[in-house]
């Protein structure tokens, strides 16, 4: 599976190739394009080899110089897609945690089939209020200056309505140690595990627990969500990755299927949850 940087670089290269084709089709050399745009020739070279990312104004000037202003809109849309693929946590959460929670709601509302893999905490759709507060408080203390945790928790609780609305299907996979994490105090963790048993009894929800004994070292450790077959979001240490290329979505869907194949379901999953709950007593 490709890294975040390689996925983004590949998308930048595709944009650079399209821009390079424009000035070649116009019968221009790089130095000619630079002169028409009022740039140093090295700027054209760096943009056309994906060593530098153009701005929207750069693309407009580039297209104008090549007599291809009608293509500027599509190229700017491609640039925005590249910029949206990879967001550092600092950029995503610069206005606080509430906004980042609210911005994902439209994606949840239009999705009909959800697949989620979590390796360190329960997925947000399955969390209790207190567990959510403990998770988001941990994140806020680590990397967010603004303290809007209460509002962010409320936004996540509102998002859980998708579990009960419309014809949606949910498949959750979690690693067994998630059941025993120490994000919440004993009573709160017990309440969370009881809630997990209740929610996963819903007819549109499937829960698989990957037993420690079945874990394979080559499988991923990053949390990821698959929305229908259209998009994957991956949570990494440094940021948030969005993938929409069919081959990339398929790679994560195949990985999800592999993990699902070794997970415990039904009574076996319930037994693991009950064992974790009982260990808190």
């Amino acid at each position: 599976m490709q890294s975040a940087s390689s996925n983004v670089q590949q998308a930048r290269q595709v944009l650079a190739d399209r821009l390079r084709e424009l000035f070649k089709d116009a019968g221009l050399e790089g130095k000619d394009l630079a002169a028409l745009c009022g740039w140093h020739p090295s700027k054209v070279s760096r943009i056309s080899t994906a060593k530098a990312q153009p701005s929207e104004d750069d693309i407009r000037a580039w297209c104008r110089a090549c007599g291809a202003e009608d293509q500027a809109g599509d190229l700017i849309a491609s640039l925005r897609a590249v910029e949206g693929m990879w967001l550092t946590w600092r950029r995503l959460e610069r206005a606080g945690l509430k906004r980042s929670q609210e911005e994902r709601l439209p994606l949840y509302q239009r999705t009909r089939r959800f697949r989620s893999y979590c390796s360190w905490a329960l997925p947000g759709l399955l969390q209790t209020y207190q567990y959510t507060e403990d998770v988001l408080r941990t994140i806020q203390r680590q990397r967010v200056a603004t303290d809007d945790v209460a509002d962010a928790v409320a936004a996540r609780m509102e998002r859980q309505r998708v579990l009960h609305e419309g014809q949606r299907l949910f498949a959750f996979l979690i690693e067994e140690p998630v059941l025993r994490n120490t994000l919440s105090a004993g009573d709160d963790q017990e309440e969370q595990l009881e809630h997990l048993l209740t929610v996963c009894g819903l007819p549109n929800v499937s829960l698989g627990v990957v037993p420690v004994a079945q874990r394979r070292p080559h499988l991923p450790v990053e949390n990821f969500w698959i929305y229908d077959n259209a998009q994957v979001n991956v949570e990494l240490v440094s940021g948030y990755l969005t993938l929409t290329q069919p081959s990339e979505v398929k790679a994560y869907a195949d990985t999800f299927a592999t993990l699902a194949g070794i997970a415990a379901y039904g009574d076996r999953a319930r037994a693991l949850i009950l064992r974790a709950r009982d260990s808190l007593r």
Side-chain angles (χ1 to χ4, degrees):
M1 203 171 292
Q2 291 178 301
S3 68
S5 59
S6 64
N7 281 291
V8 175
Q9 186 58 36
Q10 184 180 46
R12 286 176 176 168
Q13 187 63 58
V14 170
L15 176 60
D17 291 345
R18 290 178 65 189
L19 289 170
R20 188 169 62 252
E21 288 169 3
L22 275 187
F23 74 74
K24 287 186 175 180
D25 290 346
L28 299 173
E29 297 289 338
K31 61 182 179 181
D32 302 324
L33 177 63
L36 289 169
C37 294
W39 300 338
H40 192 279
S42 64
K43 179 172 180 175
V44 172
S45 176
R46 290 179 60 79
I47 290 176
S48 63
T49 56
K51 293 179 180 177
Q53 186 162 300
S55 67
E56 293 186 14
D57 286 341
D58 290 339
I59 288 178
R60 292 188 184 95
W62 192 294
C63 290
R64 187 164 52 248
C66 296
E69 291 180 87
D70 59 324
Q71 296 191 45
D74 285 346
L75 290 167
I76 288 172
S78 295
L79 172 66
R80 290 173 179 171
V82 171
E83 292 175 335
M85 282 182 67
W86 176 245
L87 293 173
T88 63
W89 292 121
R90 177 176 295 181
R91 180 180 171 191
L92 183 65
E93 298 166 344
R94 63 183 180 273
L97 292 172
K98 177 189 176 184
R99 181 175 176 182
S100 67
Q101 294 295 315
E102 292 177 332
E103 286 179 344
R104 300 179 202 178
L105 182 58
L107 174 60
Y108 280 65
Q109 291 174 328
R110 66 175 179 263
T111 300
R112 290 298 174 265
R113 184 189 179 196
F114 295 78
R115 282 165 285 179
S116 168
Y117 166 75
C118 293
S119 62
W120 67 272
L122 290 169
L125 290 178
L126 303 182
Q127 294 175 4
T128 62
Y129 186 98
Q130 187 59 54
Y131 187 96
T132 298
E133 183 175 13
D134 293 338
V135 169
L136 294 183
R137 177 62 65 192
T138 298
I139 292 172
Q140 186 268 321
R141 286 171 176 164
Q142 289 177 347
R143 64 187 189 218
V144 184
T146 302
D147 183 356
D148 61 348
V149 169
D151 291 337
V153 173
R156 180 171 286 187
M157 293 296 101
E158 173 67 17
R159 197 166 68 200
Q160 289 184 358
R161 291 175 58 183
V162 299
L163 283 168
H164 309 283
E165 297 176 345
Q167 301 298 313
R168 297 184 174 94
L169 296 175
F170 300 85
F172 299 100
L173 287 174
I174 61 173
E175 296 285 348
E176 183 181 356
V178 169
L179 301 173
R180 293 180 171 82
N181 68 33
T182 56
L183 291 171
S184 294
D187 289 345
D188 295 332
Q189 183 74 359
E190 184 174 347
E191 177 191 26
Q192 172 61 73
L193 293 175
E194 293 284 358
H195 177 71
L196 186 61
L197 290 168
T198 300
V199 175
C200 291
L202 295 173
N204 61 330
V205 174
S206 166
L207 174 67
V209 180
V210 181
V212 172
Q214 299 296 318
R215 194 63 167 84
R216 299 292 183 269
H218 67 279
L219 292 173
V221 295
E222 69 266 21
N223 294 346
F224 65 85
W225 279 86
I226 307 174
Y227 302 90
D228 292 321
N229 287 315
Q231 178 175 323
V232 176
N233 285 130
V234 187
E235 295 182 353
L236 302 173
V237 172
S238 54
Y240 192 72
L241 178 65
T242 298
L243 303 173
T244 56
Q245 289 291 333
S247 61
E248 295 170 337
V249 174
K250 183 179 183 301
Y252 276 90
D254 289 346
T255 298
F256 188 91
T258 299
L259 287 161
I262 61 176
Y265 288 91
D267 290 342
R268 289 179 59 214
R270 183 179 179 85
L272 291 172
I273 296 170
L274 290 172
R275 190 184 306 164
R277 184 203 62 183
D278 293 345
S279 70
L280 297 171
R281 298 176 177 177

